[in-house]
Every structure is written in C-alpha cells, then in structure tokens.
C-alpha cells in the first residue's frame, strides 16, 4: 500500500477524527476510520490503527471499542468537558453583558472544538437564546489583561474613561484627562466588570467599569492604598453598592414581608440575621451604601419592605419619592 503524503501526522489526524466524529451517542467503524484518514492523505493498516488507538490514551483521549454484530464500533469516552458543562459555559458567555457579540461568537466557536461535531450543533443552537444588549468595547479583554499585569507588577495604571452622549458618541470624561489609580482587584457585579482601585487624590477606594476604560497604560510608580484594600471585604463592598453606585455607608434596619426572604438572601447572603416579627413580617439590619439606586430597589419591592431606621435614611427616602412624584406631576 503506497504511503500517504501526511503519514507523519497520522496520530494527530486519528485523534482529530475520533474527537470530531464520535461521542457517547455516535460511533465509527474501522473501515470508516480508514476512509477518514484517506481524506487527510494518510494511509494505514487495521493492525497499526489498533496500536494508535491505544497510544491516544497517553494523550488523554480514551477510546472505547464495542462489538456490534461482526464489526467493532469505536468512540471517545470521558471528555474533558461534558455537554451540560459546555452548555453552561456557552450560556454564561452569551449572557455576559461585558463580552461583545463578536467575541462571544469567537469564544463559543473555540468551545465547540472540545466536543464532537454533533454536540457542537447543540451548542450552536444555544447561541440564539438571547439577543441581549452587550458592550461595544472590543478592548475589554486586553484591558483585563493589562490590569492583571499591573497588579502582578505592583504598578499604578492610567487610562481614559468615557461615557455616551446624546448623539450616541463616545465622550471622554474629565475633558480627556487621564485617570491615575492603583489597581487592586476586579469584580463582576450586576452583569458588569469593575476595576477596584485606590485613588490617592481622593484617598479612598473607587470602582470603574472596565468596558468604559480606554488606552490603559502601566506606569512606573508603585501602587498605593494596599492597607486600605486589605481591610476591604470585596464581597461585602459589592453587596452594599447597589449597581456599584456609591453613597454614605450605613446600617439600615428593614421590615420585610416573609415571602420576600429570598430577595434579602439573594442580595445580602445567607449570613444575614432575620428576626421574626408579627403579621407575616421579619426585621433585618443590613449594611448598604445609601443612594438613589438603593431607594429604587426598596421602592420596587412595594409594600413588602419598609425602612425602619435610621431616621435620616427614612427622610432621604421620602425626599426621593417626592422628587419622582414632582417630576411626573409636571
């Protein structure tokens, strides 16, 4: 039998065929394996393929053979990722607001290479589950990498920060002046990616939307604010900041209807202490950054939640409601 042109790549093409053409539900026979290899200009005898299939196990690709009638059917077992796991990853990528639509398609395409061509079609159908608004900043992936690099090197960074104007144009904040901060961590909150950094000018920890950052540059200066960041409970920081909007930190006491217990746990965690009350209500004290977003969250829960204290927070809530009513009364 004449040797094919790609003979030295036989094991590689055999692995490719087994991974693409087989899974728990789809098998391939020895004659089909030989025909697939010929498509790659690789010739082989049955006996050598038996040896090669065993060699694939050394590469982490386990192939199982099962006799069906007079022939054997072969397929890959125990892949690195199971199909339900892949679907979970695809859904996470597709629903992530901070990943652009184009990058979502690219990442999902790469994930498809981990499954057979049959299962890949199932992942492709998953892509159409959502038509959500996604970020338009393609540089976010490089931003994250640059931030991690600066953290590893213990350096400050500088960047431009933008917002959208009414003409749907990018508009740099501070008139195009660079922001200069000490990066300490990243947080994924309310479907957005945030940089947690120390602002030495303001002498406090601040957060910035990573997809709103442009032209990130690592500086020569060493980071500052390490002691302040070490005292920061990042999970608690995210819970207190509704939508990552800042405000005065306060312990607020709430009266909550029993059927909204899950809402409180989802927001503040299972560690929060809920004290049973009367008439189907309980009370709870939570740490929050008091802001318009916090009041909006309370207002959206309707009569199910009431602020009991402190008094200044109750008064601020009344003022916020008054502003809304005045606006709609015009």
């Amino acid at each position: 039998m004449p040797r094919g042109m790609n003979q030295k790549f036989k094991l590689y093409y055999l692995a490719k065929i087994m991974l693409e053409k087989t899974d728990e539900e789809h098998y391939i026979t020895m004659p089909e394996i030989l025909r697939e290899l010929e498509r790659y200009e690789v010739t082989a005898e049955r006996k050598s393929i038996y040896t090669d299939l065993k060699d694939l196990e050394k590469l982490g690709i386990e192939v199982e053979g099962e006799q069906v009638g007079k022939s054997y059917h072969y397929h890959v077992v125990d892949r690195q990722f199971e199909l339900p796991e892949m679907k979970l990853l695809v859904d996470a990528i597709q629903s992530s607001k901070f990943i652009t639509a184009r990058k979502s398609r690219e990442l999902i395409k790469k994930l498809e290479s981990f499954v057979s061509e049959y299962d890949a079609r199932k992942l492709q159908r998953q892509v159409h589950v959502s038509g959500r608004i996604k970020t338009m900043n393609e540089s976010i992936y490089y931003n994250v990498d640059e931030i991690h690099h600066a953290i590893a090197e213990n350096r400050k960074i500088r960047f431009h920060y933008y917002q959208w104007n009414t003409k749907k144009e990018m508009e740099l904040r501070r008139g195009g002046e660079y922001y200069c901060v000490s990066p300490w961590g990243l947080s994924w909150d309310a479907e957005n990616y945030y940089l947690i950094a120390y602002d030495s000018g303001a002498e406090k920890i601040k957060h910035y939307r990573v997809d709103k950052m442009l032209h990130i540059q690592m500086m020569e200066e060493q980071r500052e604010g390490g002691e302040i960041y070490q005292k920061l409970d990042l999970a608690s920081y995210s819970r207190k900041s509704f939508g990552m909007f800042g405000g005065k930190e306060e312990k607020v006491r709430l009266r909550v209807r029993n059927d909204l217990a899950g809402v409180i746990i989802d927001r503040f965690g299972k560690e929060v202490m809920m004290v049973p009350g009367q008439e189907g209500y309980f009370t709870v004290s939570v740490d929050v950054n008091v802001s318009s977003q916090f009041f909006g969250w309370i207002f959206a829960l309707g009569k199910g939640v009431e602020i009991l204290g402190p008094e200044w927070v109750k008064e601020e809530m009344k003022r916020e409601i008054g502003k809304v009513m005045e606006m709609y009364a015009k």
Side-chain angles (χ1 to χ4, degrees), residues 268-319:
F268 300 102
K270 291 182 69 175
E271 297 78 17
V272 68
M273 183 176 291
M274 298 186 291
V275 181
Q278 296 178 344
E279 300 176 354
Y281 282 80
F282 64 89
T283 58
V284 61
S285 294
V286 292
D287 294 318
V288 302
N289 288 337
V290 179
S291 65
S292 297
Q293 286 67 34
F294 166 65
F295 294 131
W297 181 76
I298 293 288
F299 189 75
L301 295 174
K303 296 180 180 180
V305 179
E306 176 190 357
I307 297 176
L308 298 179
E311 197 61 36
W312 77 267
V313 177
K314 293 171 64 176
E315 293 300 318
E316 192 65 29
M317 177 74 173
K318 291 177 183 177
R319 278 193 289 271

Side-chain angles (χ1 to χ4, degrees), residues 26-271:
H26 299 88
Y27 301 77
I28 192 169
T29 63
M30 185 59 69
E32 289 171 334
I33 292 175
L34 296 174
R35 282 198 297 272
E36 288 293 330
L37 284 171
E38 287 177 2
R39 289 178 56 240
Y40 294 109
E41 299 187 40
V42 174
T43 57
E45 296 180 353
R46 286 172 176 262
K47 190 177 293 185
S48 68
I49 297 298
Y50 295 136
T51 302
D52 292 335
L53 289 174
K54 290 182 180 179
D55 288 342
L56 288 181
E57 291 188 18
K58 298 176 182 177
L59 300 176
I61 304 171
E62 185 180 349
V63 177
E64 186 178 85
E66 179 183 349
Q67 187 169 3
V68 179
K70 294 183 179 181
S71 63
Y72 266 82
H73 290 189
Y74 300 90
H75 71 111
V76 172
V77 295
D78 295 330
R79 289 176 180 264
Q80 190 171 2
F81 292 98
E82 295 179 8
L83 183 60
E85 294 172 328
M86 297 300 290
K87 286 183 176 180
L88 185 65
L89 292 173
V90 167
D91 287 346
I93 291 169
Q94 185 64 22
S95 62
S96 294
K97 191 176 177 181
F98 68 86
I99 303 179
T100 63
R102 185 177 72 85
K103 193 63 176 179
S104 292
R105 289 192 296 269
E106 290 177 1
L107 290 173
I108 291 168
K109 193 68 179 175
K110 290 177 180 178
L111 286 178
E112 289 173 8
S113 66
F114 286 91
V115 297
S116 70
E117 60 184 30
Y118 310 102
D119 284 345
R121 294 188 193 121
K122 298 174 184 176
L123 296 182
Q124 289 164 10
R125 286 199 293 273
Q126 291 287 322
V127 176
H128 303 291
V129 299
S130 176
R132 336 189 20 165
I133 295 171
K134 294 169 80 70
T135 182
M136 288 168 278
N137 184 1
E138 288 286 348
S139 65
I140 184 171
Y141 326 106
Y142 309 106
N143 287 354
V144 171
D145 187 57
E146 194 65 32
I147 290 168
H148 279 301
H149 185 209
I151 290 173
E153 296 294 323
N154 196 35
R155 302 283 184 82
K156 289 184 178 181
I157 60 171
R158 68 175 192 168
F159 56 90
H160 286 129
Y161 206 48
Y162 79 85
Q163 61 189 4
W164 293 103
N165 62 24
T166 55
K167 296 178 182 178
K168 301 180 181 178
E169 300 169 330
M170 280 187 182
E171 187 176 79
L172 295 181
R173 294 188 175 187
R174 294 185 179 177
E177 180 184 344
Y178 274 102
Y179 286 65
C180 178
V181 299
S182 299
W184 286 100
L186 289 160
S187 176
W188 188 356
D189 184 89
E191 301 181 358
N192 291 307
Y193 224 176
Y194 292 90
L195 163 67
I196 309 299
Y198 178 74
D199 183 333
S200 56
E203 297 184 343
K204 66 178 183 178
I205 296 290
K206 291 185 177 181
H207 52 264
Y208 306 87
R209 281 261 301 268
V210 177
D211 61 312
K212 301 292 186 186
M213 298 167 65
L214 298 170
H215 317 130
I216 297 179
Q217 299 173 9
M218 187 169 67
M219 304 173 67
E220 292 296 325
E221 297 176 55
Q222 299 270 300
R223 288 185 301 171
E224 299 175 315
E227 291 183 5
I228 295 175
Y229 179 75
Q230 293 302 322
K231 295 177 183 177
L232 179 71
D233 182 340
L234 196 54
S236 175
Y237 178 80
S238 297
R239 286 198 301 267
K240 294 173 189 175
S241 305
F242 283 71
M244 295 301 280
F245 282 87
K248 182 180 178 181
E249 186 174 327
E250 184 64 86
K251 185 177 286 294
V252 178
R253 190 161 171 261
L254 304 174
R255 182 172 180 263
V256 186
R257 203 169 58 218
N258 286 347
D259 62 310
L260 294 177
V263 174
I264 298 299
I265 291 173
D266 287 344
R267 180 71 224 187
F268 300 102
K270 291 182 69 175
E271 297 78 17

